[in-house]
Each structure stands twice: as structure tokens, then as C-alpha cells.
Amino acid sequence: MGDWWQRNIMEPGKLPLLLALAAFVLTFVITRAVTRLIRAGRGPFGNVQSGGVHIHHVVPGIVLTVIGGFGAVAGGRHGFGSALAAVVFGIGAGLVLDEFALVLHLDDVYWTEAGRQSVEVVVVTAALVVLVLAGFTPFGVDGMSEDESQNRAGVIATVAGNFFFSLLALAKGKTRLAVFGVIVPLVALIGAIRLARPGSPWARRCYGRRPRARAKSRLRAYRHDRRWSGPRRAFQDWIGGRPDPAPDHR
């Protein structure tokens, strides 16, 4: 265990990244626990207000992210300063992304259906950082040998090809595959060769005169959503809490 820790964490200088990830996940978990207690009216916690204004935790999150980010840039990858800056950055990022939906919609949608986007962004962010810690690097350059890495043309071709596949997956409406494809090339390739989702830029441009492809795309999207929407919602409810029911406008 000691050899693995030294070889995979300490020598590559990944300790700050690991500390930032731990602080990020722990902050998100604690924040969600506190907000759920506030929502249920339990415990000593309450909303922070100043002059009648509700101070959302994204505000101190932004401050901590800025402090931790500049501290990490100034502190390098080794030493106590870099470790402390990484923890501060992780805490700030956890607070900010916990209210990602609020920033996106410029509205307090924390306990609404739109608020699920915050949970999804946090999960995706944590997963990507774990992949980087595991040794993956963006665009698949980590899979090249030393000779290939010294060949600039090969590196440029690898980066450009995987970036193209990621953009193609994004154009087909497969956002998650496009994001993960930046780290794992095979994921981007899968998203690029599969049918586009209905309503995506690729589907609007390429399936307009292809009714069979359009119908097949809709059917596949319907089956996928019917199969995975339930488990995904249950997972998000377990992590972030169940959103409030939509108001009845009848």
C-alpha cells in the first residue's frame, strides 16, 4: 500500500488533487444533509440571511474557490500550502456546484425538478476527477508509448481525433458521453457512431429527410429513457433529496 501511494499519488504530485476531491465530495454530502434538515425543520440549522436577503451557499463557495484556485497556482504541486489550497478549492467547488442549477437558471430552483441538474453535475465532476486520479489524461494521450509521445504529429492527431469524436457526440445530444469521452477516447467514439437523440443539432440537420432514421432515433431514445430515467431519478433523490412536486395550475 505504501509503495502504491508513493508511486501513484506522491511522485506524480496528485496529492492536492486527491485532497481537493475528498473536500469536494465531503462538502457536497454535508451541505445536502444540512439543507435537507433545514427543509424538514429539524436540527439547529437555518437559512443565512442579511438584511432580509437569503445568502445562498454559492456565495461563500465562489469566494473559497477563488482563494483556493489562486493559492493552488501559487503553491505548486508539493508542500503544505498546495495541500491547503486544494482543500479550500474543493470546499468552494462543492458549495458552488451544489447550487449549479441556481446559477444556470438565475432562480432558486434548489428543491425543484430543475435542481436535479446540480446533483448530476456534482456526480459527473467527481467521476471525471476520479478518472484523472486513476491515470487517465484528456484526449487519450496517456495511452501512447514514449516514442509516440515524442512524435508531435502523432500527439496532435490523437488529440484532434478524440476532440472531434467528443464534439460529434455532443452534436448528437449525448452530453455525458461527450464529457467522459474527453478523458476516455472509446466513450467518445461510442457516442459519435450511435444514432443522435431527437432534437439534437445532428438530428435536426441530418434526419430531416430521413424518416426511418428519425423514427429509429425517437424509438431508441424512448426505450433508453424508459429504462434509465427511473433508476437515475431514484439515485438523484437518494443523494440530493426528492424535489418538491410541481404546482398544480388547474
Side-chain angles (χ1 to χ4, degrees):
M1 181 63 182
D3 293 340
W4 177 90
W5 176 267
Q6 184 68 26
R7 184 174 60 256
N8 294 281
I9 300 298
M10 299 303 295
E11 290 181 1
K14 291 183 179 181
L15 180 59
L17 183 61
L18 178 61
L19 293 174
L21 174 62
F24 172 77
V25 173
L26 187 60
T27 299
F28 171 74
V29 171
I30 294 176
T31 302
R32 280 285 163 168
V34 171
T35 54
R36 291 171 79 164
L37 289 173
I38 294 174
R39 184 190 190 192
R42 301 176 181 176
F45 307 104
N47 293 324
V48 178
Q49 294 187 353
S50 177
V53 178
H54 178 195
I55 307 299
H56 293 272
H57 49 268
V58 67
V59 177
I62 293 174
V63 175
L64 291 175
T65 302
V66 171
I67 294 174
F70 280 109
V73 172
R77 295 191 301 173
H78 301 280
F80 176 77
S82 63
L84 179 61
V87 171
V88 173
F89 177 82
I91 294 173
L95 293 173
V96 170
L97 292 189
D98 184 57
E99 292 201 304
F100 171 82
L102 181 148
V103 178
L104 179 64
H105 296 277
L106 294 180
D107 193 12
D108 190 359
V109 294
Y110 195 85
W111 293 118
T112 68
E113 190 69 25
R116 292 177 180 272
Q117 294 172 314
S118 298
V119 178
E120 186 166 351
V121 167
V122 167
V123 172
V124 170
T125 301
L128 290 175
V129 176
V130 168
L131 287 175
V132 174
L133 278 172
F136 291 93
T137 56
F139 303 115
V141 178
D142 61 298
M144 304 180 69
S145 64
E146 292 185 6
D147 293 337
E148 291 173 329
S149 298
Q150 293 175 359
N151 184 347
R152 291 185 178 181
V155 173
I156 293 174
T158 300
V159 172
N162 197 47
F163 185 66
F164 171 76
F165 289 139
S166 296
L167 287 179
L168 192 57
L170 185 63
K172 290 189 172 186
K174 304 179 183 299
T175 306
R176 298 181 190 86
L177 293 181
V179 171
F180 282 102
V182 173
I183 305 296
V184 184
L186 182 60
V187 175
L189 179 61
I190 293 174
I193 62 178
R194 290 176 65 84
L195 280 172
R197 286 188 63 87
S200 65
W202 183 278
R204 290 196 301 268
R205 183 172 183 83
C206 300
Y207 297 167
R209 297 183 180 180
R210 299 171 57 192
R212 292 186 61 184
R214 189 165 60 248
K216 190 175 181 180
S217 171
R218 290 174 179 171
L219 179 61
R220 178 170 293 181
Y222 168 76
R223 290 176 175 173
H224 176 274
D225 293 343
R226 187 180 63 178
R227 176 183 302 172
W228 295 108
S229 61
R232 184 168 63 245
R233 289 175 65 90
F235 178 70
Q236 291 175 345
D237 289 348
W238 177 69
I239 294 179
R242 182 173 298 178
D244 295 329
D248 190 354
H249 298 291
R250 291 181 298 176

